[in-house]
Amino acid sequence: MDEQLKAELSKQGIFTTSLQELYNWSRKSSLWPLNFGLACCAIEMIATTMARYDLARFGAEVFRPSPRQADLMIVAGTVTKKMAPQVVRLYNQMPEPKYVISMGACAISGGPFKQGYNVLKGIDRFIPVDVYIPGCPPRPEALIDAFMFLQKKIDAQQITGAARPRHLDADQPSEFPIPEFGPHDLQPTSNPAIWHPPLVQISQAGPDESRHD
Amino acid sequence: MNLDTIKSELEANIPGCHAEIIANASPAAQHSLLIAPEHAFAAATWLREAPHLRFDFCSNVTGIDWPTKEVTTKIKVLKQIDGAEKEVEESQKTTTPGYLEVVYHLYSHELNHGPLPLRLRTADRDANTHLPSLTPIWRSAEYQEREIFDLYGVHFTGHPDLRRLLMWDEFVDHPMRRDYVDPDDYEYEPTAHDEVLTRATQHATEAGRP
């Protein structure tokens, strides 16, 4: 519908909308996060839901204790390799449409524990992430910002056509393979269908010649 | 609480028990008691029960990996060369076999003294890594012994529930050992340098990137 005509009609007291707008508006206004935290970022997530920051203003006050009732997974904290299969399993148990916020340095990349043997170097190796929040831990304002960003993202989704989201495309998977515990590492170490190592220009760095041990 | 008296009393009370005082040269001077594993359980029981010691609390258990050490020393040897006696420098290699060590920190709440660091050493790092578990004496050692089993590979005989604590059961390595090689699963670093740069370059070459 023409935006100008719509504005003209609303001046006359006639409200018009499209199914897509209604659909997106209702979904973005009632995102129910999954009630689970992994580390210190979870404390900030809890603070966000409390009276001072009040995530309820954005329709996300109902933290669900079951993945079957949740729309949004906030991966708040360090994902250890021992925990990673459970996180992926919880994600798989959530019904579509579902979204993931990767909160904090650890959930993005492993953070300060990146070079350790037991920490997953980013949850995006196994599940698709919609919004990343940097910080260690991010402040509640940052989580609210990420939440509003996700709402904008949902609002812009097309319900038909080639650009439609995953849950409206029957060919797209809604579940992702759960990694298994191997003798040295998780198997596989990442899901190649959704994650590739980022392209970094290594040759520009060059050997560090300033150090003389 | 004198370590020398504890040592001599221990050797007098536990037949066949041999204890050794490991001196700490630092200003802290926290000397510790090394006990042979075969008498460790009896010795630990005695340390807890003896009325003038009463070590009723084990605050901490930790593991140490001592890898095999190879030391090259240069010594001067007198040798007959062309009929004349000459002093020649020769390098001599001495290998100290590695072992795993477990340290228990004992306190007494009743008599308000401690700590007494108690050391146990395994025979080697590969096949004979068995030590007696002191969990039946101090229950607080249970999880920490499990952690040491997990990260160092010390097998505690007599432990009520010896499973891995931090890593998953299928895991085979012991990450805190000095010769542990961690999985090569970090492919990049925004500001790579040193070892990480070497790894990142290797990953980039494998992927066919410049």
Side-chain angles (χ1 to χ4, degrees):
Chain A
M1 188 181 228
D2 185 22
E3 282 299 316
Q4 217 172 354
L5 176 63
K6 211 168 137 181
E8 201 61 45
L9 280 170
S10 70
K11 277 181 200 160
Q12 305 299 320
I14 300 167
F15 174 68
T16 55
T17 186
S18 64
L19 180 63
Q20 179 176 302
E21 273 171 32
L22 262 180
Y23 181 74
N24 286 343
W25 169 76
S26 56
R27 265 190 317 126
K28 76 166 189 187
S29 310
S30 65
L31 274 173
W32 289 1
L34 181 61
N35 188 0
F36 101 116
L38 295 168
C40 26
C41 280
I43 307 299
E44 297 296 304
M45 185 177 76
I46 294 160
T48 315
T49 63
M50 289 294 115
R52 189 181 181 92
Y53 297 99
D54 201 12
L55 198 63
R57 292 176 293 158
F58 305 92
E61 73 273 35
V62 201
F63 270 69
R64 303 311 298 181
S66 161
R68 301 288 186 203
Q69 301 167 336
D71 310 303
L72 169 66
M73 176 185 249
I74 302 173
V75 184
T78 317
V79 188
T80 59
K81 285 175 184 170
K82 201 174 177 180
M83 191 64 187
Q86 281 75 270
V87 176
V88 181
R89 188 170 287 117
L90 281 171
Y91 179 77
N92 285 349
Q93 287 172 348
M94 285 162 62
E96 290 278 11
K98 53 190 172 185
Y99 304 94
V100 177
I101 290 179
S102 180
M103 183 180 181
C106 294
I108 294 173
S109 70
F113 315 109
K114 186 182 174 73
Q115 286 159 28
Y117 53 87
N118 58 342
V119 171
L120 186 70
K121 284 125 194 86
I123 191 62
D124 55 356
R125 290 182 177 224
F126 291 113
I127 55 177
V129 174
D130 294 281
V131 186
Y132 297 87
I133 323 172
C136 186
R139 286 194 52 84
E141 291 95 326
L143 180 58
I144 290 173
D145 185 54
F147 200 83
M148 289 165 71
F149 187 85
L150 181 64
Q151 287 184 321
K152 279 184 199 134
K153 196 175 169 178
I154 293 169
D155 211 22
Q157 279 177 350
Q158 306 284 322
I159 59 170
T160 51
R164 66 190 188 277
R166 199 182 65 221
H167 67 278
L168 295 171
D169 191 345
D171 300 330
Q172 295 283 325
S174 72
E175 292 189 3
F176 290 85
I178 298 167
E180 282 179 13
F181 292 133
H184 305 287
D185 203 351
L186 290 175
Q187 283 173 343
T189 53
S190 64
N191 182 357
I194 57 166
W195 188 84
H196 298 286
L199 289 164
V200 179
Q201 281 283 327
I202 303 290
S203 53
Q204 285 179 355
D208 191 357
E209 282 162 1
S210 60
R211 278 178 58 144
H212 298 286
D213 290 324
Chain B
M1 202 194 77
N2 186 316
L3 210 58
D4 292 301
T5 27
I6 293 176
K7 177 185 180 292
S8 47
E9 281 176 354
L10 196 65
E11 284 171 340
N13 280 282
I14 316 288
C17 177
H18 178 71
E20 193 186 321
I21 292 172
I22 310 284
N24 183 344
S26 78
Q30 195 178 66
H31 311 306
S32 50
L33 206 59
L34 175 71
I35 300 180
E38 54 270 24
H39 299 288
F41 193 84
T45 316
W46 181 81
L47 285 171
R48 194 189 60 171
E49 300 300 338
H52 64 296
L53 294 174
R54 297 287 295 152
F55 284 108
D56 50 15
F57 175 54
C58 173
S59 81
N60 182 43
V61 189
T62 188
I64 307 169
D65 178 21
W66 298 98
T68 309
K69 248 196 298 192
E70 208 170 65
V71 185
T72 315
T73 44
K74 289 206 166 158
I75 46 160
K76 287 185 175 169
V77 193
L78 288 173
K79 266 192 178 174
Q80 294 284 341
I81 299 170
D82 306 331
E85 204 168 71
K86 269 191 177 176
E87 208 172 40
V88 185
E89 251 192 14
E90 272 189 359
S91 61
Q92 196 178 38
K93 271 187 184 170
T94 44
T95 318
T96 323
Y99 52 86
L100 299 166
E101 190 173 70
V102 178
V103 187
Y104 295 79
H105 280 79
L106 309 179
Y107 288 83
S108 172
H109 278 315
E110 200 174 305
L111 302 174
N112 198 16
H113 62 205
L116 169 69
L118 194 69
R119 290 172 190 254
L120 308 180
R121 285 177 186 173
T122 62
D124 59 45
R125 298 171 73 249
D126 311 304
N128 305 307
T129 55
H130 292 271
L131 284 180
S133 167
L134 302 187
T135 304
I137 303 170
W138 295 288
R139 194 60 202 253
S140 57
E142 183 185 347
Y143 271 33
Q144 306 204 35
E145 282 184 350
R146 271 179 68 184
E147 189 179 350
I148 293 164
F149 166 69
D150 188 353
L151 302 181
Y152 289 92
V154 177
H155 293 260
F156 291 95
T157 43
H159 192 282
D161 183 26
L162 195 64
R163 286 179 293 133
R164 282 185 181 271
L165 181 68
L166 300 171
M167 304 306 283
W168 50 91
D169 290 334
E170 293 86 347
F171 198 72
V172 294
D173 302 326
H174 302 294
M176 286 293 274
R177 287 204 189 185
R178 289 180 187 264
D179 50 4
Y180 171 71
V181 182
D182 52 333
D184 192 8
D185 63 345
Y186 64 105
E187 292 84 353
Y188 68 99
E189 192 80 359
T191 53
H193 56 83
D194 298 345
E195 195 196 326
V196 183
L197 178 66
T198 321
R199 276 197 193 194
T201 318
Q202 206 179 334
H203 277 289
T205 322
E206 276 167 22
R209 287 185 268 127

